[in-house]
Amino acid sequence: MRVARLLVRHEARLLVSLVLWVVRRTDGTRSGRAFGYARGQGAMMFGFGFVCLVETVAMSVLLRDWPTAHAVLLFLDVYGIVIVVALHASSVVRPHVLDPDAGSLRIRRYVHVDLRVPLERIASVRRELRMTHERADGELDVEVGSQTTVTLELTEPVTHVTFFGRRRDVRVVRFHADDADGLVRALGRARV
């Protein structure tokens, strides 16, 4: 039951992101400065959506003689396209947020990752382009398009809650930002 609730909540948050994207609003950026990360994946998401659209048309043609199967698969295919668009929308409307007044950096990806890092726990920040990532204890890689551009090293760990609720303490956080240089400079100013 818990997993079903998590999946329904996830789908609802994706659909809310789609609505926010249509009305050109963002989530959680009122009091801070937003740093996007969606540009790094836009072409890939467009390509994935196009493939889903081609598959929808092909299945409609193949199943035209079986109306029940056609209706079921058409619904699932269209819903799949909506979810792909909603995934991209969630990355646009949920950017990273640097809030010096609250003393935190909020690192996000889609509706899956939402990590708040207190500024006083940041030991160092640097721009570092990485294309390969190996899982390691105490490290969190928030990749976009298989790359990260900013690395944070922390003085003490912060707790990251995974999609299914598992808690992990992390001391190194790597993530992607479209304007990595600007984010590193803004973090440097906010930490002083």
Side-chain angles (χ1 to χ4, degrees):
M1 256 341 241
R2 182 177 166 273
V3 171
R5 263 194 327 269
L6 284 170
L7 291 174
V8 168
R9 180 176 171 241
H10 177 261
E11 299 285 312
R13 291 178 75 198
L14 282 176
L15 295 175
V16 166
S17 296
L18 189 57
V19 171
L20 288 172
W21 191 44
V22 169
V23 298
R24 297 185 176 266
R25 301 253 196 258
T26 57
D27 175 63
T29 59
R30 281 199 179 129
S31 62
R33 181 172 169 200
F35 289 91
Y37 56 89
R39 231 181 309 149
Q41 69 181 10
M44 180 184 67
M45 294 303 283
F46 176 77
F48 192 53
F50 180 74
V51 168
C52 289
L53 181 65
V54 168
E55 188 253 349
T56 299
V57 171
M59 291 307 290
S60 289
V61 170
L62 291 174
L63 295 175
R64 67 181 173 265
D65 295 333
W66 295 283
T68 304
H70 176 262
V72 169
L73 274 206
L74 182 62
F75 172 78
L76 292 173
D77 284 342
V78 169
Y79 187 70
I81 292 170
V82 168
I83 291 300
V84 168
V85 173
L87 272 171
H88 180 68
S90 70
S91 68
V92 172
V93 303
R94 298 176 192 278
H96 307 307
V97 180
L98 174 60
D99 190 352
D101 295 335
S104 69
L105 171 65
R106 192 171 178 187
I107 299 168
R108 304 195 289 183
R109 178 161 189 243
Y110 303 130
V111 295
H112 308 114
V113 176
D114 193 348
L115 177 69
R116 290 180 194 263
V117 178
L119 295 180
E120 70 268 4
R121 290 192 189 180
I122 298 175
S124 69
V125 58
R126 67 183 175 275
R127 183 176 192 327
E128 178 182 39
L129 177 63
R130 292 184 73 145
M131 304 295 267
T132 58
H133 302 88
E134 294 181 22
R135 290 187 59 96
D137 283 341
E139 295 183 4
L140 175 64
D141 295 320
V142 186
E143 306 166 23
V144 173
S146 297
Q147 69 179 1
T148 57
T149 54
V150 178
T151 300
L152 295 179
E153 292 182 10
L154 308 176
T155 57
E156 55 186 278
V158 294
T159 302
H160 165 62
V161 180
T162 64
F163 182 77
F164 289 113
R166 197 182 73 158
R167 300 174 98 59
R168 289 182 53 212
D169 287 337
V170 293
R171 283 185 157 288
V172 175
V173 181
R174 294 183 190 93
F175 61 99
H176 177 77
D178 292 336
D179 180 16
D181 293 324
L183 177 57
V184 169
R185 282 191 304 273
L187 264 173
R189 285 190 301 269
R191 289 175 48 219
V192 173

